C-alpha cells in the first residue's frame, strides 16, 4: 500500500491520508472544500464549495497516478438535496466523458458546516 498526501493540498485534518493506492486502485478519502492553503470554504457559495471539493479529488487522483477518466466509483454527501441539480451540472462538466458509478447521499450535516463531501475509487495506471 502507498499513502498519498500531495504537497499542493492542505494536509489531512485527521489521522488519514488523502489517498491510498492498493491492489491497482486508488481510494480517495472524503474531500471537503478546503483550499491548498487550508482555508475552509464553509461560508462560500454551494457552487464554489463543489468546485474546490472536485479540484481536491482531481489532485489526489493525479498524485496517485490516476485521473478522472479512470474513476470507478464516486460517493457524494450533500447537506441539501435541493442542490443536487446544481451539483450534477458542475460534476458533469468536471467529469466530462467519465461515467463512474455514483451515489449522492443526503446527510443532515458535515464537518465545519460544509455543504458537500466527495470520496472516490479509481484504477491506477
Amino acid at each position: 500500500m502507498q499513502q498519498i498526501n500531495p504537497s499542493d493540498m492542505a494536509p489531512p485534518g485527521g489521522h488519514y491520508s488523502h489517498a491510498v493506492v492498493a491492489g491497482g486502485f486508488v481510494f480517495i478519502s472524503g474531500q471537503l472544500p478546503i483550499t491548498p492553503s487550508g482555508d475552509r470554504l464553509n461560508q462560500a457559495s454551494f457552487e464554489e464549495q463543489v468546485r474546490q471539493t472536485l479540484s481536491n479529488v482531481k489532485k489526489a487522483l493525479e498524485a496517485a497516478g490516476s485521473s478522472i477518466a479512470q474513476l470507478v466509483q464516486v460517493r457524494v454527501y450533500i447537506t441539501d438535496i435541493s442542490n443536487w441539480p446544481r451539483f450534477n451540472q458542475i460534476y458533469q462538466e468536471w467529469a466530462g466523458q467519465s461515467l463512474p458509478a455514483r451515489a449522492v447521499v443526503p446527510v443532515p450535516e458535515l464537518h465545519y458546516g460544509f455543504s458537500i463531501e466527495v470520496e472516490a475509487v479509481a484504477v491506477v495506471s
Side-chain angles (χ1 to χ4, degrees):
M1 291 192 324
Q2 178 186 8
Q3 299 168 346
I4 308 289
N5 290 301
S7 61
D8 61 345
M9 294 178 70
H15 188 71
Y16 65 93
S17 295
H18 282 302
V20 174
V21 176
F25 292 94
V26 58
F27 300 85
I28 307 297
S29 293
Q31 296 298 308
L32 296 164
I34 299 174
T35 68
S37 62
D39 295 327
R40 297 175 183 154
L41 301 182
N42 54 342
Q43 299 300 314
S45 69
F46 177 74
E47 292 81 1
E48 188 176 350
Q49 289 191 43
V50 171
R51 285 186 175 86
Q52 182 63 60
T53 300
L54 294 176
S55 174
N56 293 345
V57 171
K58 182 180 179 188
K59 285 179 183 180
L61 285 168
E62 290 175 350
S66 191
S67 68
I68 293 170
Q70 293 171 284
L71 282 166
V72 174
Q73 190 271 337
V74 175
R75 187 170 295 118
V76 180
Y77 302 95
I78 188 170
T79 59
D80 183 349
I81 199 65
S82 69
N83 283 326
W84 184 89
R86 292 189 303 182
F87 166 78
N88 196 56
Q89 180 181 7
I90 296 167
Y91 176 87
Q92 183 177 1
E93 293 166 8
W94 176 81
Q97 298 299 311
S98 182
L99 295 168
R102 188 182 83 182
V104 178
V105 183
V107 295
E109 64 182 308
L110 289 166
H111 204 38
Y112 305 117
F114 291 125
S115 298
I116 189 162
E117 182 171 353
V118 177
E119 62 177 318
V121 177
V123 174
V124 176
S125 300

Short mmCIF file of all heavy atoms in Angstrom, two decimals, residues 11 29 34 38 43 51 63 69 83 89 92 113 119 122:
data_model
loop_
_atom_site.label_atom_id
_atom_site.label_comp_id
_atom_site.label_asym_id
_atom_site.label_seq_id
_atom_site.Cartn_x
_atom_site.Cartn_y
_atom_site.Cartn_z
N PRO A 11 -2.74 19.68 4.32
CA PRO A 11 -2.53 18.39 4.99
C PRO A 11 -3.86 17.82 5.49
O PRO A 11 -4.78 18.57 5.80
CB PRO A 11 -1.62 18.74 6.16
CG PRO A 11 -1.01 20.06 5.82
CD PRO A 11 -2.00 20.77 4.96
N SER A 29 -9.94 9.56 0.03
CA SER A 29 -10.69 9.90 1.24
C SER A 29 -11.70 11.00 0.94
O SER A 29 -11.54 11.76 -0.02
CB SER A 29 -9.73 10.39 2.34
OG SER A 29 -8.90 9.36 2.77
N ILE A 34 -11.75 22.61 1.01
CA ILE A 34 -10.63 23.24 1.71
C ILE A 34 -9.57 23.57 0.67
O ILE A 34 -9.17 22.69 -0.11
CB ILE A 34 -10.07 22.32 2.81
CG1 ILE A 34 -11.16 22.01 3.84
CG2 ILE A 34 -8.84 22.94 3.46
CD1 ILE A 34 -10.76 21.01 4.90
N GLY A 38 -5.30 25.72 3.13
CA GLY A 38 -6.01 25.32 4.34
C GLY A 38 -7.24 26.14 4.67
O GLY A 38 -7.85 25.93 5.72
N GLN A 43 -18.24 29.10 4.25
CA GLN A 43 -19.11 30.26 4.04
C GLN A 43 -19.26 30.60 2.56
O GLN A 43 -19.99 31.52 2.19
CB GLN A 43 -18.58 31.48 4.80
CG GLN A 43 -18.51 31.28 6.31
CD GLN A 43 -19.87 30.97 6.91
OE1 GLN A 43 -20.86 31.63 6.61
NE2 GLN A 43 -19.93 29.96 7.76
N ARG A 51 -16.80 23.10 -6.59
CA ARG A 51 -15.62 23.20 -7.45
C ARG A 51 -14.32 22.93 -6.69
O ARG A 51 -13.43 22.24 -7.18
CB ARG A 51 -15.58 24.56 -8.13
CG ARG A 51 -16.60 24.66 -9.26
CD ARG A 51 -16.47 25.97 -10.06
NE ARG A 51 -17.39 25.96 -11.17
CZ ARG A 51 -18.67 26.34 -11.12
NH1 ARG A 51 -19.17 26.78 -9.98
NH2 ARG A 51 -19.43 26.29 -12.19
N ALA A 63 -2.06 12.70 -8.15
CA ALA A 63 -0.89 12.42 -7.33
C ALA A 63 -0.69 10.92 -7.15
O ALA A 63 0.43 10.45 -6.95
CB ALA A 63 -1.02 13.10 -5.97
N ALA A 69 -10.71 10.21 -15.73
CA ALA A 69 -11.11 9.21 -16.73
C ALA A 69 -11.03 7.78 -16.19
O ALA A 69 -11.66 6.88 -16.75
CB ALA A 69 -10.24 9.34 -17.97
N ASN A 83 -29.91 20.98 -3.76
CA ASN A 83 -28.73 21.41 -4.52
C ASN A 83 -28.26 20.35 -5.51
O ASN A 83 -27.31 20.60 -6.26
CB ASN A 83 -27.57 21.74 -3.57
CG ASN A 83 -27.75 23.08 -2.91
OD1 ASN A 83 -28.28 24.02 -3.49
ND2 ASN A 83 -27.30 23.17 -1.67
N GLN A 89 -24.73 19.39 -12.50
CA GLN A 89 -24.25 20.18 -13.64
C GLN A 89 -22.74 20.42 -13.54
O GLN A 89 -22.01 20.23 -14.51
CB GLN A 89 -25.00 21.51 -13.72
CG GLN A 89 -24.56 22.38 -14.86
CD GLN A 89 -25.31 23.70 -14.90
OE1 GLN A 89 -26.07 24.02 -14.00
NE2 GLN A 89 -25.08 24.47 -15.94
N GLN A 92 -20.87 17.11 -13.99
CA GLN A 92 -20.84 16.69 -15.39
C GLN A 92 -19.75 17.43 -16.17
O GLN A 92 -19.03 16.81 -16.95
CB GLN A 92 -22.21 16.93 -16.04
CG GLN A 92 -22.29 16.47 -17.47
CD GLN A 92 -23.68 16.66 -18.06
OE1 GLN A 92 -24.59 17.18 -17.40
NE2 GLN A 92 -23.86 16.26 -19.29
N GLY A 113 -19.47 22.63 8.97
CA GLY A 113 -20.60 23.28 8.32
C GLY A 113 -20.52 23.28 6.81
O GLY A 113 -21.20 24.07 6.16
N GLU A 119 -15.98 11.35 -1.97
CA GLU A 119 -14.95 10.31 -1.93
C GLU A 119 -15.03 9.51 -3.23
O GLU A 119 -16.04 9.55 -3.93
CB GLU A 119 -15.11 9.40 -0.71
CG GLU A 119 -16.41 8.62 -0.68
CD GLU A 119 -16.51 7.68 0.50
OE1 GLU A 119 -15.51 7.01 0.83
OE2 GLU A 119 -17.59 7.62 1.10
N ALA A 122 -10.68 4.82 -7.98
CA ALA A 122 -10.28 4.82 -9.39
C ALA A 122 -9.21 3.75 -9.63
O ALA A 122 -8.55 3.30 -8.69
CB ALA A 122 -9.74 6.20 -9.80
#
